[in-house]
Amino acid sequence: MQNRFSLKGKIALVTGGTYGIGMAMAKALGKAGAKIMFNARRDEMVKKAEEDYKKDGLEAYGYVCDVTKENQVKAMVADISSKHGDIDILVNNAGIIKRIPAVEMTLEEYKEVIDIDLIGPFIVAKAVAPAMIKKGAGKIINICSMMSELGRETVTAYAAAKGGLKMLTKNLACEWGEFNIQVNGIGPGYIATPQTAPLRENGHPFNNFIINKTPAARWGTPEDLEGPVIFLASNASDFVNGHILYVDGGILAYIGKQP
Ligand code: NAP
Ligand code: GCO
């Protein structure tokens, strides 16, 4: 049974793997046997992350690549294929959020979130799919969100992107399932990373709000996503397709603690 979860000999690309959820998932995939490829936009962060992976004894190769730039993505995928082999596992993790009331958000701000969080995953999936189709196997995991299902004030662009990412996941699953490519999503709950730091720190009321909305009564950690990503990246999930696995401590099941 353990072999079902082994990633030995696999090439995994995790976008946005320089810190946060992406790095945690990439390290998990590496510890399960995969060779890690990762990318982000800032060269200094890519270099720092490579050192971090090495400290954990993991073989990881970083690329400075913006997921919204198709030419950069194609060049990265081609370089990985020529130096290491075709990508077996793609985790579309790179993403941003802008917390701005819709009426105040500029069109440029809205488009930037959609570009990175929804168009980026399409660009990268489209770049890795031909080799997966040729091989007759592949795993694509899109990192969705609570906002793939729920809304809240100030995150309109992000919710639109993550809602779209849920349906992109389901539709690619339909289109590529016959080639033995499983396309699924992970929907993390509220996870303690730099992205959510403004909501947790300096006594922000959102901190207790989320703890009261979560049956697990805590914020998630990036490490909480290690098992789910190994499951969806491994043969253990070969008949799971078009599924969004929510790793949220129960938020989506809960009306919230009685006052
Ligand atoms: P984070 O701490 O802000 O890290 C984001 C990562 O993505 C960084 O490595 C960043 O590096 C990279 N990135 C951003 N834009 C990029 C681009 N255009 N091209 C390439 N890389 C890019 O975020 P996180 O909290 O770890 O979240 C990771 C993913 O999980 C996101 O998709 C987020 O929406 C999702 N998520 C987060 C939570 C949460 O509570 N934290 C919950 C649900 C879902 P550079 O800036 O250097 O490019
Ligand atoms: C917010 C948070 C959330 C989390 C995550 C929840 O401002 O509401 O940033 O959007 O990032 O997506 O699943």
Side-chain angles (χ1 to χ4, degrees):
M1 175 52 77
Q2 265 188 323
N3 286 342
R4 299 278 289 169
F5 293 85
S6 169
L7 303 178
K8 199 164 170 39
K10 303 291 186 186
I11 306 286
L13 169 63
V14 179
T15 67
T18 50
Y19 53 87
I21 288 174
M23 175 170 268
M25 293 191 294
K27 286 186 173 179
L29 299 176
K31 288 169 190 164
K35 188 189 282 190
I36 305 160
M37 310 290 145
F38 68 97
N39 71 293
R41 293 167 299 183
R42 289 170 286 176
D43 184 32
E44 72 282 5
M45 299 299 286
V46 170
K47 289 193 173 64
K48 184 172 172 297
E50 282 187 328
E51 289 310 311
D52 197 332
Y53 286 108
K54 209 180 291 178
K55 257 191 261 160
D56 280 12
L58 296 170
E59 191 178 0
Y61 300 85
Y63 288 82
V64 179
C65 169
D66 183 332
V67 296
T68 66
K69 306 283 187 289
E70 190 167 31
N71 60 332
Q72 292 182 22
V73 170
K74 284 181 172 176
M76 171 178 67
V77 171
D79 191 71
I80 291 170
S81 292
S82 67
K83 289 180 182 161
H84 305 284
D86 291 333
I87 292 162
D88 301 292
I89 301 158
L90 166 64
V91 181
N92 269 319
N93 165 80
I96 65 164
I97 192 167
K98 289 184 184 295
R99 300 182 183 96
I100 304 167
V103 74
E104 295 166 22
M105 180 174 259
T106 67
L107 188 52
E108 290 66 33
E109 289 165 330
Y110 184 88
K111 283 181 175 176
E112 185 184 358
V113 176
I114 297 290
D115 220 8
I116 295 172
D117 293 8
L118 180 56
I119 295 172
F122 173 71
I123 289 173
V124 187
K126 188 168 174 288
V128 305
M132 289 182 173
I133 290 170
K134 193 169 168 208
K135 184 181 283 188
K139 297 282 185 179
I140 296 175
I141 302 158
N142 295 324
I143 306 305
C144 297
S145 160
M146 293 290 92
M147 275 57 215
S148 297
E149 301 294 345
L150 304 170
R152 81 175 188 88
E153 301 80 4
T154 76
V155 295
T156 298
Y158 182 82
K162 292 299 187 178
L165 185 57
K166 175 176 77 170
M167 283 316 301
L168 174 66
T169 301
K170 290 173 182 276
N171 220 74
L172 291 180
C174 298
E175 201 159 316
W176 295 340
E178 65 180 291
F179 305 111
N180 189 33
I181 298 169
Q182 289 81 50
V183 185
N184 292 291
I186 289 176
Y190 280 83
I191 311 293
T193 71
Q195 190 243 53
T196 54
L199 302 174
R200 283 179 286 111
E201 293 168 356
N202 308 317
H204 196 299
F206 200 85
N207 182 49
N208 283 331
F209 168 71
I210 283 301
I211 290 169
N212 289 328
K213 284 286 281 182
T214 307
R218 67 174 175 87
W219 283 75
T221 65
E223 291 67 34
D224 285 322
L225 297 159
E226 292 178 354
V229 76
I230 290 171
F231 168 63
L232 288 178
S234 70
N235 293 132
S237 60
D238 282 354
F239 201 53
V240 179
N241 215 335
H243 182 73
I244 313 297
L245 176 57
Y246 287 99
V247 185
D248 66 352
I251 289 182
L252 286 177
Y254 195 29
I255 195 170
K257 191 174 286 300
Q258 296 175 39

